[in-house]
Amino acid sequence: MNEQEKDRKPGRHISRRILLGGAATAAVVLLKSSYGQVVQKAITQAELKISDPTKVLGPPPGEVGTRSKFEKPVKKTSDTSSRTPLQDLFGTITPSDLHYERHHAGVPVIDPNNYSLTIHGMVDKPLTFSLADLKRFPSVTRIFFLECSGNYRSGKETMTPQEICGLTSQSEWTGVMLSTLFREVGVKPKASWFLAEGSDAAVMTRSVPVSKGWEDAMIAYAQNGEAIRPEQGYPARLLLPGWEGNTSVKWLRRIELSDQPWMTREETSKYTEGVKDGKIRQFSFVMDARSIVTYPAYPQQIQKGWMEIRGIAWSGRGKIYKVEISTDGGRTWNTAKLQDPVLDKAHTAFRYLWEWKGGEAEILSRAIDETGYVQPTMKQLKEARGEDMGGYHLNPVTSWLVQRDGRVLFKPEN
Amino acid sequence: MPYLKAVYRQESIKITMNKAYIGCILVIIMSCNTNPGPRPDLVKESSSRKADTTGWPASFGLGRPASAVDIEKIDIDVRPDGVGLPAGEGTAITGKTIYMTKCVACHGTDTTSGDAKLPGPVLISDHPGKKNKTIGNYWPYATTLFDYVRRAMPYTEPGTLTNEEVYHLTAFLLAANKVIKETEVINAQTLPKIVMPAQHRFVNDDRRGGNEVR
């Protein structure tokens, strides 16, 4: 029985709540949206009854917090992935339950007491670590993004940032550096590649150059202050900052050191892309620089006046150096403000103050990273890679078309 | 299921020394950056995240030794040089029977259109679709087939195929994709010797850093 039905029940004693609600009927009120716009919102009778929170005793402290019942950010799911609602987020940390997902055989259930990670192959001492062992090693905490290399969709005007490139998310990760474990097992100098293997139903594998293991790879067991979520690799996963997400193998059970790559299914028939002259590029690990405007964006409708154009920029090569904004379809560019701290290989929030006076406008952003790389247009990508470039490692400048009535539409292909 | 990895490993070390060039090329590409380097106006203080090991003991004494038996239980990978392939062999004709029982529901038959929407990719179509990425025209190594089918298939019953079944299926998929003749026997010796039609098309990452779009 819901609240309204309870209230209608005949003979029920008159509670303080009913009195406070008065003779409320469904109404239309003006609310301020999270971006400061005034919008009309239909309010249900039940909601209106508690519209004065100063007159209702709230619930006591709880064991686990909840999202406001008025906020419903959700991932957009497909058979193989689910996408982060970039347009609903603020700042740069993705709430853990909204982190994008891409699995190759579902999410395994792993009892942390039975979990182990074995490192063997070209090492002095093959060792098996329990989760407790991993947690006892010197730890590191670091914020960086994780992005699927197949993170670009296009094709129609009615697409949200989530639909276009929602396979990117950012967390604060805690774990042990892989170099710490390499040191412990004694990786032989001639080892040049390692195999990372997950304990999902695909027992998914990728080959990774050992140099990345020594440089900045992590075995993470925590995400945003708590144990990693099952969807993100519970109880422990590999993380390769700045590299295509598939290489950061989740539910990591085994690392084998070798002097050559394994040519696994995911690094040959998948996660490779056509380039010119009929060639196919393999081991393209690094995610190039990219940005997207998340406000204004479809499906928002803007109103005349001042607003902040907002979005995120990131690069797998290092720090974001600059983000430029155009509101006239790329004829002129202005420098956006970057929100500190600008971190290495991390989503970086940008904003640019803009007055919309009505009329059509085309809003674009382009990221420039500290290596001097400038986010390309789709045309530049096609020129560089040829027409058969496939769907991996596409990071084109994305364009939003503001209509005269304030509607904002995605401009497919740029 | 014990694998014959150890037997092949001694033999393979010589081969792998020659194949080390794959890794070397990548390292050379990454170090031969002719483009402008990092912007001089930025100090890249965090390019290396190597742990500061000052004051660390030689070993933390954590973890337990992994015995050969422990490793063998989970060491299921197969390399392009054949390291990791188990004993046994298979043929296309037997593979077809297994395929028609355990694989066809998701992957279709030779008369299925290459563009058909099935739970899995169309694998043996005589009518290639627009996507046109098949074992015959895209997969660069035959060993990958054995490795992947054994670790991940059938999708709803992963890891249930015997080594013999995987050899048979590998033979069938290679024959159906016109890579081998239907009569060829696939085993630990023959599989690594197969040169896949698309192997010559694969190149290592050729992006060189800096401001170049590639």
Side-chain angles (χ1 to χ4, degrees):
Chain A
M1 193 181 285
N2 66 31
E3 206 73 53
Q4 283 167 295
E5 284 167 337
K6 266 187 207 163
D7 292 349
R8 279 192 228 104
K9 203 174 172 185
R12 193 164 176 264
H13 76 276
I14 296 171
S15 71
R16 180 164 179 258
R17 173 172 276 203
I18 290 170
L19 287 173
L20 288 168
T25 54
V28 174
V29 295
L30 291 176
L31 290 178
K32 270 205 166 176
S33 79
S34 39
Y35 283 107
Q37 295 167 256
V38 177
V39 294
Q40 289 189 335
K41 190 178 186 304
I43 297 293
T44 65
Q45 203 167 18
E47 281 172 349
L48 203 60
K49 269 186 205 163
I50 54 167
S51 65
D52 183 355
T54 67
K55 300 295 186 290
V56 184
L57 178 64
E63 286 188 326
V64 177
T66 61
R67 215 162 254 144
S68 161
K69 66 177 182 176
F70 301 105
E71 301 291 332
K72 306 271 191 226
V74 288
K75 289 189 271 195
K76 188 173 178 70
T77 61
S78 73
D79 288 346
T80 54
S81 66
S82 59
R83 295 164 172 270
T84 294
L86 299 175
Q87 66 280 355
D88 297 333
L89 303 184
F90 299 86
T92 58
I93 298 292
T94 310
S96 298
D97 60 355
L98 296 175
H99 194 291
Y100 85 86
E101 298 177 43
R102 174 74 180 91
H103 324 301
H104 293 74
V107 180
V109 177
I110 299 171
D111 181 341
N113 298 312
N114 297 333
Y115 171 83
S116 67
L117 169 64
T118 297
I119 305 183
H120 69 106
M122 292 176 70
V123 301
D124 295 329
K125 287 185 298 180
L127 290 172
T128 296
F129 301 103
S130 67
L131 186 62
D133 291 333
L134 295 180
K135 289 179 179 174
R136 273 186 64 183
F137 277 104
S139 64
V140 286
T141 293
R142 183 177 172 190
I143 293 169
F144 51 89
F145 75 86
L146 201 59
E147 182 183 18
C148 177
S149 61
N151 189 24
Y152 180 68
R153 291 288 180 277
S154 176
K156 59 177 182 179
E157 291 181 327
T158 52
M159 290 179 77
T160 63
Q162 177 175 27
E163 291 168 317
I164 297 162
C165 64
L167 295 175
T168 188
S169 306
Q170 175 150 290
S171 300
E172 182 200 76
W173 302 98
T174 299
V176 51
M177 296 301 285
L178 184 53
S179 59
T180 303
L181 301 182
F182 275 3
R183 184 177 173 271
E184 196 71 17
V185 298
V187 168
K188 292 187 191 290
K190 283 189 176 168
S192 52
W193 289 81
F194 70 87
L195 184 77
E197 183 178 80
S199 49
D200 57 332
V203 206
M204 210 206 74
T205 45
R206 282 294 301 255
S207 306
V208 180
V210 163
S211 56
K212 184 68 172 174
W214 285 115
E215 190 198 339
D216 64 354
M218 277 175 81
I219 310 295
Y221 42 74
Q223 174 186 13
N224 297 334
E226 61 173 343
I228 284 188
R229 301 264 169 146
E231 299 83 358
Q232 302 312 321
Y234 182 86
R237 74 175 301 169
L238 179 64
L239 284 171
L240 306 179
W243 285 21
E244 61 182 15
N246 180 252
T247 60
S248 288
V249 176
K250 292 179 281 194
W251 316 293
L252 188 69
R253 75 168 193 177
R254 186 169 72 94
I255 286 176
E256 182 174 356
L257 280 297
S258 176
D259 55 8
Q260 58 178 284
W262 277 257
M263 299 302 178
T264 73
R265 184 250 197 181
E266 310 301 338
E267 62 210 21
T268 55
S269 80
K270 305 288 174 187
Y271 301 101
T272 51
E273 59 270 4
V275 286
K276 281 187 170 167
D277 305 322
K279 297 293 182 189
I280 301 162
R281 187 155 72 194
Q282 65 186 6
F283 300 124
S284 35
F285 295 120
V286 176
M287 300 304 294
D288 285 330
R290 186 169 190 182
S291 67
I292 183 151
V293 167
T294 54
Y295 184 85
Y298 179 81
Q300 287 127 2
Q301 183 160 10
I302 59 171
Q303 298 182 346
K304 281 181 196 170
W306 289 93
M307 70 188 72
E308 268 190 341
I309 295 173
R310 296 171 179 167
I312 49 170
W314 63 99
S315 172
R317 299 150 160 254
K319 289 179 182 173
I320 288 296
Y321 169 71
K322 189 188 215 181
V323 174
E324 294 178 324
I325 300 287
S326 174
T327 55
D328 56 11
R331 280 188 292 282
T332 58
W333 292 88
N334 303 284
T335 302
K337 279 190 176 159
L338 301 184
Q339 175 62 56
D340 283 332
V342 177
L343 299 172
D344 187 36
K345 297 165 187 152
H347 283 175
T348 300
F350 64 83
R351 47 180 181 257
Y352 174 73
L353 206 53
W354 181 53
E355 184 184 18
W356 184 52
K357 295 171 178 170
E360 289 176 0
E362 182 177 345
I363 300 173
L364 302 88
S365 65
R366 70 179 174 206
I368 302 165
D369 71 18
E370 63 179 324
T371 71
Y373 179 87
V374 182
Q375 183 182 6
T377 60
M378 186 59 94
K379 186 164 168 277
Q380 284 177 292
L381 286 168
K382 277 184 186 159
E383 282 168 2
R385 297 179 194 171
E387 288 294 322
D388 297 328
M389 61 182 180
Y392 294 113
H393 289 280
L394 297 181
N395 59 327
V397 166
T398 304
S399 176
W400 298 105
L401 299 169
V402 178
Q403 311 292 294
R404 288 183 177 281
D405 60 3
R407 282 183 305 135
V408 184
L409 297 173
F410 173 51
K411 182 180 175 188
E413 303 301 296
N414 196 274
Chain B
M1 183 64 64
Y3 303 117
L4 292 182
K5 193 166 214 174
V7 176
Y8 292 114
R9 194 169 298 276
Q10 290 306 317
E11 185 191 344
S12 72
I13 286 171
K14 291 170 202 151
I15 303 165
T16 58
M17 292 309 288
N18 294 332
K19 290 206 171 184
Y21 72 92
I22 297 170
C24 291
I25 288 169
L26 195 68
V27 170
I28 289 164
I29 287 169
M30 285 170 167
S31 59
C32 289
N33 183 355
T34 55
N35 289 296
R39 300 188 69 105
D41 50 339
L42 285 165
V43 182
K44 197 174 179 183
E45 86 274 1
S46 54
S47 64
S48 174
R49 295 274 169 161
K50 273 184 195 171
D52 179 6
T53 57
T54 310
W56 284 21
S59 166
F60 288 95
L62 298 170
R64 58 180 166 82
S67 70
V69 175
D70 292 339
I71 293 167
E72 194 180 76
K73 281 180 195 163
I74 53 172
D75 186 6
I76 59 171
D77 58 74
V78 173
R79 293 198 316 206
D81 58 6
V83 168
L85 282 169
E89 60 183 32
T91 56
I93 187 150
T94 312
K96 184 170 188 176
T97 310
I98 300 165
Y99 182 90
M100 295 309 283
T101 312
K102 299 190 174 183
C103 318
V104 70
C106 291
H107 296 294
T109 68
D110 49 2
T111 59
T112 306
S113 162
D115 287 328
K117 293 217 165 171
L118 296 175
V122 176
L123 290 182
I124 57 170
S125 178
D126 286 340
H127 314 282
K130 284 179 194 161
K131 286 185 185 169
N132 212 22
K133 269 165 79 169
T134 67
I135 293 165
N137 73 14
Y138 202 88
W139 286 52
Y141 296 93
T143 47
T144 310
L145 261 181
F146 187 98
D147 177 88
Y148 180 66
V149 171
R150 182 166 70 169
R151 70 174 60 242
M153 291 291 120
Y155 191 70
T156 53
E157 291 179 281
T160 58
L161 298 170
T162 66
N163 288 336
E164 288 280 326
E165 284 179 309
V166 178
Y167 271 125
H168 289 309
L169 284 168
T170 303
F172 171 66
L173 291 170
L174 290 170
N177 278 271
K178 315 281 191 278
V179 178
I180 62 168
K181 295 187 188 107
E182 293 212 334
T183 51
E184 281 184 56
V185 174
I186 292 300
N187 57 35
Q189 284 73 44
T190 58
L191 186 63
K193 291 192 182 123
I194 293 168
V195 179
M196 296 294 277
Q199 191 182 319
H200 69 280
R201 296 173 59 197
F202 281 76
V203 293
N204 282 325
D205 190 0
D206 58 352
R207 292 174 297 167
R208 298 176 291 191
N211 62 3
E212 184 185 38
V213 174
R214 212 172 163 95

